[in-house]
Amino acid sequence: MNGTPRLRSAYPSTPQKGNEQNGAEAAASLPRVPLPTLSTRQQDPQAPLIPFNLIDGPQQRLYVAFFYLGLTVWRLCDYYGLVSDETDSLWLFMKWVAIDSIFLYGLPGLKIPWLQWSSTSITMLFVGHAIFDAVLMFRIPIPLETWLIAFTRMFYDREIAVSERRVKPANVLHNASLILGKQIIHILPEGSATLNPDQTSFCVDSFTTSVNLPIQLNQTNPILIELLRVDLDTNLNETMTIHAKEIRRLKTLAQKHPLGRDAAAPRYLQYPVKQTGLYRLQRVVDESKLEVQRRLSDTLVVHCPSAHMRTVAETKCIGDLSNFYLQVDATPPINIKYSKLVNGQESGHAVLSIPPQSPMSPLATQRSSGALVTRGSVANVDVSWARSQSTGISLNESLGVSGSWQYSIDEVQDGCGNIVNYANHRLADTQKRHSSTIAAPLEQRFSVHERPRIALRGCDSQHPLRVPKGKSVRLPIQLSSTGRDIAEHGTHQISYLFTPSMEVLPNQEHGKIAVLEEFKLESHAAGHEVYEPGLYTLQSVESAHCTGEVLEPSACLLLNPPEPTLSIETQVIPDRCAGNSVGLLVDLDLTGTPPFRVSYTERRRGGPVTPRVVETHLLHTQLELRPAHSGHYRYEFQHISDAIYQEPRSLRDERLSLEQDVKPPASARFLDAYPARKTCIGEPVSLGIQFLGDAPWKVEYELVHHGRRQKRKIDGIENNIYTLTTDELNSGGEYSLALTAVTDKSGCKVSLEQETKIEVALQRPKAAFGLIEGQRTISALEDKKVKLPLRLQGESPWTVQYRNLGQAGESPVTKILENTNDEIEVKEAGTYEIVHVDDATCPGNVDAAANRFSVEWIPRPSVHVSESVAIELQQDRYVKKGICEGDEDAVDLAFTGTPPFDVEYSHHVRPERGSQSTSTKKFTAGINLASVRMETTEAGSHQYKISKLSDLSYNHNPRKFSPVVIEQRVHSTPMATFSDGGKTYKYCKEEEAGGENVPISLKGSPPFHLEVEIRHHSSSKPELVTIPNIESHQYNLHIPHRLLALGTHAVRIRKVRDVHGCQRRMEQGAPHVQVNVAEVPGITAQESRIDYCVGDRISYTLSGLPPFNVFYTFQGQERKASVSTTNFRRLAEKPGEFTITAVTDQRSVDCKAHTSITKVIHEMPSVRVSKGRTATVDIHEGGEAEILFEFGGVLPFEFTYTRSSNPPRGKKPQVLDTKSDISYEHTKSILASDEGIYEVVSIKDRFCAFSTQRVQGKSGQKLLT
């Protein structure tokens, strides 16, 4: 935009604040000019009064527009005050002329761009504002309505036609279809010949060995045709001659074609050629030995285009490039279309264009003529641009999705327009034609595989693998892929770097002698076994198709910890009394990886070998070998294992064995000292004692209770297991039984610290029922679980047996209770009795005075309806007497139970009309009686079903409650309405004797009694009409003529009553009808003529009170028109008979004034030249052509036609001749020998005329008289 030249008179361009984006471009294209100095810019006469750095140009123009809008609003306010207050007009006019002059002449001084107008423009604007001020302030009237109507008709001009629809008069008056067709006569030259006039493309290949070149012959009969051929490979030319014999054969073949049978049409000779080249029609000689005019046109015959794939390997990895070629052989410019499928889904189409190598190729530009080379001699012409060009196109695309990829060649097109479609090559005809091309590969397929990923799992430099020496371990390899969590199936080639543990650097890096090793992994679960300790680092991974990626962690350190070892030291444990050895204390020193497991054997002389195991997490621990029995013992340490070397390692080579002679001291202990023994009062207690040492034994013990100590001795115990039985324990409480000393055969007395507790119950357990509200009787809700209180004495838990005396023959129920005030849960009514009780230790007693408890049920609520004259029980439901709609009614209910009562009932309505409905209602009755209001607002059958009942004690239980059903019929209130409520019935003054019936619709049960009120508009007293015994639901009210007078009457229904006695009184404002008695209107035609033409306007004058309804028939169809004025006019849109049959006005819509005014509308005459089409006839000089005219209308016909010149394209034809003629038939033919365009400009028949020419602004049609 900034580079567009501007005129000197144009508006100056708007200054911009800054255009950094265009600044760099402008700086590169414009010469550097030094910036003006400050003084120079201040003296610029074009600078605005307000600098742009404060307010830019568009903002200044916006502020001026707002200021001008404010002045306009102020001006209109003054005008409004002038109209309402009658102020001085001259003063306001002078005020606004002065304001406009200051604003308009002062605006250029601001020097705002686009607002710097010339003095002439400002003066014209000022004069216009002054005129506008004068019109406003002096209130000069302006015919705006007339101007607006005229302006609107420029865009929307519609009239109502005789078919009662709005049409555009211009479409009826200027019907172009009345005159159709024209005939163009051309005088042909001597003859012409053209090679390939349609510029069809041709190509040859191994299957299409020849093509037919079309030669168009127009009005000539040649005897010799010469074709010039330029070879595309050598640029050499040759002349091909077609002699008369060959021409006759080609003509014979051309006549067999359907187009060749028309003698007037040009002939097409199909000349076969087999060689490629540029062909041109060089010379044509006709029968007169003269050369025929040739239209210069070149035709190329080239090799058919072909394309194929230069296929590459089909296996690819994700992320690789496709990197294959499309090989195309064709004449450039070439378009090749290919498609792509990814995993069976179409991924789009692409079109590649190959431009010609020669910039002079005419195929690369749009041809303006049929010549491909210069019009001169073609002797030295270069046609190398038309040779077939072999081009390879590289397609490199990233393969980002795994799966199957397929590229397919769909179509190839050369520069001549020859197209080979490979997409449909499976069709038989295409296979036959292009089988040689399809033999070459047309598809490139790829199988894109995922790349593998590898990492180590559970091992890194901080968490090495620990393996026993000589053992192997699988490297914890985890394989995956770029697209899924698991790797693809198949073999993977994996390499890793290994450094022995002695060569690993301190920073856990590989040493200089690191070795790269490779292995194949057949499956993900197979793994790779490694033996040598050292550092293993993954280097690469390859699948069967792709190289992969090594992820972290990739390094793993394999260690061989040292084997576990054991060393021992011993120390004898002596007996302090006899001085004998009682055992050994062994120190175990271990090396290896904890935890350790040491196994050894213990063997007593003459006894079996007993295996023993020691497990420890410590590197040093102690083992105490102290047998319980005397004898010679031998200990041998057999095996050792640790966390790494879990397979036990033999210690036999180290000969770690110990021997000792043991004679343990005497000892005794309770076999079951814990927990404390519990017993009943008055019973003894027996306890088992185990002795160690040499028999016989003597034991001393004591029994302590309440501070009293009883000592006892037992001698001569020979067995090592002895049962000690105490005396009867007759005092309740806690006893302590302690072993104080033991003496064996050696005579050494050993003090003991063995003690056990005996708890003796203080009393026998006891059971009884507790009290509920001071008694052992309870009233509970039916089927509710009742908890009966118990009072228990003794030690928890208690086992209680009880029974229900009302259920004879059943076994007692046994319950285990934990608390002294526990409860038993029952759900049956009756008397319950405690049978037996035991506590945790002893059997107990039942209190005979409190061993029974009675359970009773509270009665459930119920409801019933009292029968009376108005209600009675029929089968399983109550039926209440019917009632009228809207009357009050209720039913009384009586309840039994514990108030208040909650009642829920459903109200089901089957109305006389409409769909059924059900509603649910609830209420609460505070006493044993309640009244339920019956619903009478809707007529029909009503059913009330009490479905739920609950009281203070019971919730509703559907299994325990039987619903109560009450039915009642509500009769509908009769209804009487006018079938056409609000309608005004028209009575004509001349037709009073006939009268008219007013239809009334009644609803209810007949017979009906009806009362109707008739009131005249001028009378305040109504007339009443009573109609009894109406047996049907429809009644036609006949208003007596004695009650009607000239004018308007209001007819209203006062009340209606049916057979049930139900009555409805209508409200004062209920719908009513009116009866109007009025005069009849009239209609007369404004013109006395009967015949009209389509496009004329038919006008009538109406008499009466508008609006009017005009009834007429047109084309056998009755129509109705509404007219709001006394003039009725319709546009004659179609031909037919237009008859006015009746008319009504506002006073008497139904009182028709019957008449018969008939007008005949005639169709406009029409003419068809050459069957209504544009026909072109070619004749020779001196010949004649027939022009056929076909007329439509009423005989005779008079028409005018013209002959115009055949102008060049873009110019109007000129009328050369005008002639008139008369036809007394519907067809007429004339002969014409002059060249030109023949067409009809006017036509008229007996009644009407039409012309396509307008004379002095009048319509081109008229009625002939």
Side-chain angles (χ1 to χ4, degrees):
M1 294 294 294
N2 294 336
T4 304
R6 305 180 66 86
L7 299 177
R8 295 182 179 180
S9 60
Y11 290 121
S13 60
T14 303
Q16 306 294 323
K17 286 187 175 181
N19 196 342
E20 292 81 357
Q21 182 179 0
N22 298 333
E25 300 176 0
S29 60
L30 297 178
R32 298 181 179 271
V33 180
L35 297 174
T37 61
L38 180 61
S39 60
T40 303
R41 285 180 289 178
Q42 289 177 347
Q43 295 175 2
D44 186 4
Q46 298 298 327
L49 182 64
I50 302 175
F52 290 143
N53 55 3
L54 295 179
I55 304 175
D56 59 8
Q59 288 282 5
Q60 293 188 28
R61 290 192 292 272
L62 181 63
Y63 293 154
V64 170
F66 284 158
F67 183 75
Y68 181 77
L69 182 61
L71 291 178
T72 303
V73 173
W74 185 15
R75 191 193 324 264
L76 295 177
C77 290
D78 285 352
Y79 172 72
Y80 178 76
L82 176 67
V83 174
S84 59
D85 300 337
E86 296 294 337
T87 55
D88 190 2
S89 300
L90 180 60
W91 158 246
L92 291 176
F93 171 72
M94 295 174 63
K95 165 188 169 182
W96 281 106
V97 167
I99 293 175
D100 290 341
S101 63
I102 295 173
F103 174 76
L104 294 174
Y105 285 101
L107 186 60
L110 299 177
K111 297 182 180 179
I112 301 173
W114 297 4
L115 298 180
Q116 295 177 270
W117 301 320
S118 62
S119 300
T120 304
S121 299
I122 294 176
T123 302
M124 293 177 63
L125 289 174
F126 172 71
V127 172
H129 279 72
I131 295 173
F132 182 65
D133 292 337
V135 170
L136 285 181
M137 302 310 162
F138 293 110
R139 291 180 289 178
I140 300 174
I142 299 177
L144 294 178
E145 183 178 357
T146 304
W147 295 351
L148 182 61
I149 293 175
F151 180 76
T152 304
R153 285 196 172 182
M154 294 174 61
F155 303 97
Y156 184 82
D157 185 13
R158 296 289 188 273
E159 288 188 25
I160 301 178
V162 292
S163 59
E164 287 303 316
R165 65 186 185 96
R166 291 189 173 274
V167 298
K168 192 174 183 179
N171 295 338
V172 180
L173 297 174
H174 311 293
N175 188 359
S177 64
L178 297 177
I179 299 178
L180 293 177
K182 59 184 176 181
Q183 185 159 317
I184 303 174
I185 297 178
H186 287 295
I187 297 179
L188 295 176
E190 295 179 357
S192 64
T194 307
L195 176 64
N196 191 15
D198 298 330
Q199 298 297 319
T200 307
S201 59
F202 300 97
C203 69
V204 294
D205 55 17
S206 58
F207 283 89
T208 307
T209 56
S210 66
V211 294
N212 294 325
L213 298 183
I215 304 175
Q216 183 190 49
L217 302 177
N218 187 20
Q219 300 297 327
T220 184
N221 189 16
I223 59 174
L224 177 67
I225 300 175
E226 290 182 356
L227 289 177
L228 180 66
R229 171 183 170 272
V230 181
D231 190 87
L232 300 182
D233 297 325
T234 62
N235 289 333
L236 299 178
N237 59 78
E238 64 172 333
T239 301
M240 304 172 64
T241 303
I242 307 175
H243 297 285
K245 181 179 180 180
E246 180 69 13
I247 293 174
R248 285 194 299 271
R249 186 183 68 84
L250 295 177
K251 285 183 179 180
T252 303
L253 295 176
Q255 289 176 353
K256 297 180 180 180
H257 195 275
L259 296 178
R261 299 171 184 173
D262 189 358
R267 292 184 179 180
Y268 289 87
L269 306 183
Q270 303 292 336
Y271 181 69
V273 296
K274 298 182 178 180
Q275 294 179 311
T276 61
L278 175 68
Y279 291 85
R280 175 179 289 183
L281 194 63
Q282 183 171 343
R283 191 163 71 101
V284 179
V285 180
D286 63 2
E287 294 175 338
S288 59
K289 307 297 182 180
L290 298 177
E291 289 192 10
V292 179
Q293 180 182 358
R294 294 169 288 108
R295 294 183 182 178
L296 189 60
S297 176
D298 295 335
T299 298
L300 273 176
V301 179
V302 297
H303 289 288
C304 291
S306 65
H308 65 276
M309 296 281 190
R310 287 164 52 185
T311 58
V312 296
E314 295 186 357
T315 301
K316 295 285 185 178
C317 297
I318 193 169
D320 289 350
L321 297 178
S322 56
N323 194 20
F324 68 97
Y325 287 85
L326 298 177
Q327 189 68 34
V328 185
D329 296 320
T331 300
I334 308 169
N335 290 329
I336 181 169
K337 181 179 179 181
Y338 70 93
S339 60
K340 177 174 64 176
L341 293 177
V342 179
N343 291 325
Q345 300 293 326
E346 186 173 330
S347 185
H349 298 267
V351 178
L352 302 177
S353 298
I354 303 175
Q357 296 179 353
S358 173
M360 304 302 294
S361 173
L363 300 178
T365 59
Q366 186 176 3
R367 296 168 61 180
S368 58
S369 64
L372 291 173
V373 297
T374 57
R375 294 179 178 269
S377 174
V378 294
N380 298 320
V381 67
D382 183 9
V383 293
S384 59
W385 47 265
R387 297 170 187 168
S388 180
Q389 173 181 323
S390 180
T391 306
I393 306 172
S394 175
L395 292 181
N396 261 344
E397 181 179 1
S398 177
L399 306 176
V401 179
S402 62
S404 63
W405 290 58
Q406 175 180 321
Y407 293 85
S408 304
I409 300 175
D410 295 336
E411 183 181 282
V412 61
Q413 178 180 358
D414 63 5
C416 299
N418 298 301
I419 298 175
V420 176
N421 192 336
Y422 294 104
N424 300 324
H425 71 276
R426 293 180 179 85
L427 298 177
D429 58 340
T430 310
Q431 278 189 338
K432 183 177 179 180
R433 178 179 178 84
H434 302 293
S435 59
S436 61
T437 307
I438 295 171
L442 298 176
E443 296 178 351
Q444 172 67 58
R445 300 175 182 269
F446 292 112
S447 180
V448 182
H449 300 271
E450 299 283 351
R451 293 185 181 273
R453 289 179 174 177
I454 189 171
L456 295 175
R457 178 178 59 186
C459 179
D460 54 27
S461 58
Q462 302 299 324
H463 303 85
L465 288 177
R466 301 178 187 271
V467 183
K469 292 180 181 179
K471 298 292 184 180
S472 65
V473 67
R474 289 184 182 179
L475 278 178
I477 294 174
Q478 181 179 11
L479 282 173
S480 62
S481 67
T482 55
R484 294 178 290 272
D485 293 336
I486 62 173
E488 292 183 346
H489 297 290
T491 303
H492 290 78
Q493 185 76 22
I494 301 173
S495 66
Y496 63 88
L497 197 64
F498 170 70
T499 299
S501 58
M502 300 302 294
E503 302 296 331
V504 177
L505 299 179
N507 59 352
Q508 300 295 323
E509 296 290 339
H510 289 278
K512 295 182 179 180
I513 63 171
V515 179
L516 182 65
E517 298 185 4
E518 295 183 352
F519 66 92
K520 290 185 178 180
L521 191 64
E522 298 295 337
S523 65
H524 186 269
H528 180 65
E529 300 285 341
V530 292
Y531 299 87
E532 298 185 39
L535 182 62
Y536 294 83
T537 302
L538 297 175
Q539 296 296 313
S540 65
V541 61
E542 294 182 7
S543 65
H545 308 285
C546 305
T547 59
E549 180 181 1
V550 178
L551 305 179
E552 292 297 332
S554 61
C556 180
L557 186 62
L558 179 62
L559 300 178
N560 290 146
E563 296 180 348
T565 61
L566 172 65
S567 62
I568 59 175
E569 293 181 0
T570 61
Q571 183 180 354
V572 177
I573 303 173
D575 184 3
R576 289 178 295 176
C577 174
N580 299 324
S581 174
V582 298
L584 289 177
L585 188 63
V586 183
D587 291 331
L588 302 180
D589 293 321
L590 303 160
T591 60
T593 305
F596 299 95
R597 181 182 176 90
V598 181
S599 60
Y600 66 95
T601 59
E602 178 186 69
R603 182 176 184 181
R604 182 184 179 187
R605 181 176 296 170
V609 177
T610 304
R612 307 285 186 187
V613 175
V614 178
E615 294 183 355
T616 180
H617 289 268
L618 304 176
L619 297 176
H620 176 79
T621 186
Q622 283 188 335
L623 175 63
E624 187 178 89
L625 302 176
R626 181 178 290 188
H629 302 281
S630 61
H632 181 78
Y633 288 86
R634 179 179 177 83
Y635 303 92
E636 291 185 0
F637 290 90
Q638 302 288 331
H639 302 91
I640 184 172
S641 63
D642 63 0
I644 302 301
Y645 297 88
Q646 296 182 0
E647 184 176 348
R649 189 176 70 87
S650 177
L651 297 175
R652 293 180 180 179
D653 295 339
E654 301 182 16
R655 296 181 179 179
L656 299 177
S657 62
L658 299 173
E659 292 186 6
Q660 68 171 341
D661 291 321
V662 177
K663 194 173 184 179
S667 178
R669 69 180 183 88
F670 290 112
L671 292 177
D672 47 359
Y674 299 98
R677 285 293 185 91
K678 295 182 180 181
T679 185
C680 297
I681 190 170
E683 294 181 359
V685 175
S686 298
L687 295 170
I689 301 175
Q690 181 183 25
F691 293 95
L692 299 176
D694 297 330
W697 291 276
K698 180 178 68 174
V699 65
E700 298 178 5
Y701 69 94
E702 59 183 14
L703 186 62
V704 181
H705 176 63
H706 289 173
R708 295 168 57 188
R709 189 182 302 271
Q710 297 179 7
K711 294 185 178 183
R712 299 283 191 273
K713 293 181 180 180
I714 302 175
D715 297 332
I717 301 174
E718 295 294 337
N719 295 326
N720 64 339
I721 301 297
Y722 178 78
T723 300
L724 174 64
T725 302
T726 65
D727 298 334
E728 292 183 357
L729 305 178
N730 296 319
S731 178
E734 184 180 70
Y735 290 79
S736 295
L737 179 63
L739 300 179
T740 59
V742 65
T743 304
D744 63 355
K745 182 179 179 181
S746 64
C748 290
K749 184 178 181 180
V750 179
S751 298
L752 299 176
E753 295 181 353
Q754 290 287 322
E755 183 179 351
T756 185
K757 299 292 185 181
I758 301 173
E759 295 181 359
V760 180
L762 298 176
Q763 62 179 5
R764 294 279 181 178
K766 186 178 181 181
F769 279 114
L771 300 176
I772 297 179
E773 296 180 358
Q775 56 186 358
R776 290 183 178 87
T777 301
I778 186 172
S779 296
L781 298 178
E782 184 178 351
D783 296 333
K784 282 284 188 179
K785 293 181 179 181
V786 181
K787 293 183 179 180
L788 304 182
L790 292 178
R791 300 296 179 258
L792 304 173
Q793 296 178 6
E795 186 176 354
S796 173
W798 290 269
T799 301
V800 179
Q801 292 182 349
Y802 64 93
R803 62 183 178 181
N804 189 343
L805 297 178
Q807 297 175 350
E810 292 191 5
S811 301
V813 180
T814 302
K815 292 288 185 181
I816 306 298
L817 305 176
E818 300 289 339
N819 301 320
T820 57
N821 296 310
D822 217 326
E823 299 171 334
I824 59 174
E825 193 175 79
V826 298
K827 54 182 180 180
E828 299 290 342
T831 301
Y832 290 85
E833 180 184 42
I834 301 175
V835 178
H836 183 72
V837 63
D838 291 331
D839 67 354
T841 306
C842 308
N845 302 319
V846 178
D847 187 355
N851 65 337
R852 293 185 179 183
F853 205 106
S854 297
V855 178
E856 299 175 353
W857 295 142
I858 299 173
R860 287 185 172 274
S862 62
V863 61
H864 65 277
V865 179
S866 300
E867 295 187 35
S868 63
V869 178
I871 187 169
E872 59 181 2
L873 180 63
Q874 296 181 2
Q875 295 180 353
D876 58 345
R877 61 193 62 202
Y878 293 92
V879 178
K880 192 170 177 60
K881 185 179 179 181
I883 193 170
C884 293
E885 182 180 2
D887 291 352
E888 293 292 333
D889 196 8
V891 63
D892 294 328
L893 302 177
F895 300 96
T896 59
T898 307
F901 301 93
D902 293 326
V903 183
E904 179 178 324
Y905 66 94
S906 61
H907 178 207
H908 181 74
V909 183
R910 292 192 297 272
E912 295 178 352
R913 290 175 299 277
S915 60
Q916 302 182 18
S917 63
T918 303
S919 61
T920 303
K921 299 182 180 181
K922 300 178 181 179
F923 70 90
T924 300
I927 59 176
N928 291 347
L929 294 176
S931 180
V932 178
R933 180 177 174 272
M934 313 298 281
E935 293 290 340
T936 61
T937 56
E938 186 175 7
S941 177
H942 292 251
Q943 184 188 74
Y944 303 85
K945 183 178 181 181
I946 301 176
S947 56
K948 292 183 180 180
L949 176 64
S950 61
D951 62 358
L952 185 63
S953 301
Y954 287 94
N955 292 326
H956 174 70
N957 188 343
R959 293 179 299 177
K960 303 291 185 178
F961 177 73
S962 298
V964 178
V965 179
I966 305 172
E967 293 184 350
Q968 185 181 36
R969 179 73 183 182
V970 177
H971 303 293
S972 62
T973 304
M975 183 68 183
T977 58
F978 291 105
S979 299
D980 299 322
K983 179 179 178 180
T984 300
Y985 293 89
K986 302 296 183 177
Y987 281 76
C988 302
K989 187 175 181 181
E990 293 81 355
E991 300 177 359
E992 276 188 354
E996 188 174 3
N997 293 330
V998 179
I1000 297 176
S1001 298
L1002 297 108
K1003 297 180 181 179
S1005 300
F1008 300 97
H1009 182 89
L1010 189 64
E1011 186 175 309
V1012 179
E1013 173 187 302
I1014 303 173
R1015 185 189 302 270
H1016 192 269
H1017 72 280
S1018 61
S1019 175
S1020 60
K1021 182 180 179 181
E1023 298 286 344
L1024 298 180
V1025 178
T1026 301
I1027 306 108
N1029 299 324
I1030 300 175
E1031 296 293 341
S1032 64
H1033 291 87
Q1034 293 291 333
Y1035 179 73
N1036 292 323
L1037 175 63
H1038 178 73
I1039 303 176
H1041 290 284
R1042 58 182 176 81
L1043 302 177
L1044 297 176
L1046 189 62
T1048 303
H1049 303 75
V1051 180
R1052 186 174 68 88
I1053 300 174
R1054 296 191 66 175
K1055 63 182 179 180
V1056 61
R1057 185 173 69 249
D1058 65 357
V1059 69
H1060 298 295
C1062 299
Q1063 176 175 300
R1064 181 191 296 269
R1065 182 176 293 275
M1066 304 301 174
E1067 298 179 359
Q1068 188 65 32
H1072 63 279
V1073 297
Q1074 291 185 346
V1075 176
N1076 188 16
V1077 181
E1079 298 285 349
V1080 293
I1083 182 171
T1084 56
Q1086 293 183 358
E1087 296 179 286
S1088 59
R1089 61 174 176 154
I1090 297 176
D1091 297 310
Y1092 286 82
C1093 296
V1094 171
D1096 290 344
R1097 292 170 177 83
I1098 307 174
S1099 301
Y1100 299 88
T1101 300
L1102 300 170
S1103 61
L1105 182 63
F1108 299 91
N1109 289 327
V1110 179
F1111 299 86
Y1112 64 92
T1113 58
F1114 179 68
Q1115 294 182 340
Q1117 183 179 359
E1118 295 184 357
R1119 303 175 187 268
K1120 175 184 176 182
S1122 298
V1123 184
S1124 58
T1125 63
T1126 57
N1127 290 323
F1128 173 59
R1129 186 177 73 167
R1130 287 295 181 266
L1131 178 66
E1133 174 196 9
K1134 300 177 181 178
E1137 191 173 277
F1138 183 80
T1139 302
I1140 302 293
T1141 58
V1143 63
T1144 63
D1145 63 355
Q1146 183 182 13
R1147 296 175 300 184
S1148 56
V1149 177
D1150 294 331
C1151 296
K1152 297 181 180 179
H1154 295 281
T1155 184
S1156 179
I1157 305 176
T1158 301
K1159 306 292 183 179
V1160 179
I1161 302 173
H1162 299 280
E1163 177 66 272
M1164 296 297 296
S1166 62
V1167 60
R1168 302 288 186 270
V1169 181
S1170 300
K1171 302 294 183 179
R1173 296 173 295 179
T1174 299
T1176 301
V1177 179
D1178 297 329
I1179 63 174
H1180 292 285
E1181 187 73 29
E1184 290 182 337
E1186 181 183 16
I1187 303 175
L1188 176 64
F1189 298 91
E1190 296 173 312
F1191 304 100
V1194 182
L1195 295 172
F1197 300 98
E1198 182 179 348
F1199 63 98
T1200 301
Y1201 64 94
T1202 62
R1203 180 176 67 87
S1204 304
S1205 62
N1206 290 323
R1209 180 176 297 178
K1211 294 185 178 180
K1212 295 183 179 181
Q1214 295 182 354
V1215 177
L1216 303 177
D1217 191 9
T1218 302
K1219 295 182 180 179
S1220 297
D1221 203 345
I1222 298 177
S1223 175
Y1224 295 96
E1225 297 179 355
H1226 284 86
T1227 59
K1228 187 177 181 66
S1229 297
I1230 62 174
L1231 296 176
S1233 59
D1234 296 329
E1235 185 179 43
I1237 303 173
Y1238 292 82
E1239 54 186 340
V1240 177
V1241 296
S1242 66
I1243 177 69
K1244 66 178 180 179
D1245 64 355
R1246 180 180 178 184
F1247 297 102
C1248 303
F1250 177 77
S1251 174
T1252 58
Q1253 299 176 341
R1254 291 195 174 188
V1255 181
Q1256 297 179 358
K1258 295 184 180 180
S1259 173
Q1261 66 183 27
K1262 64 178 180 178
L1263 176 68
L1264 301 179
T1265 57

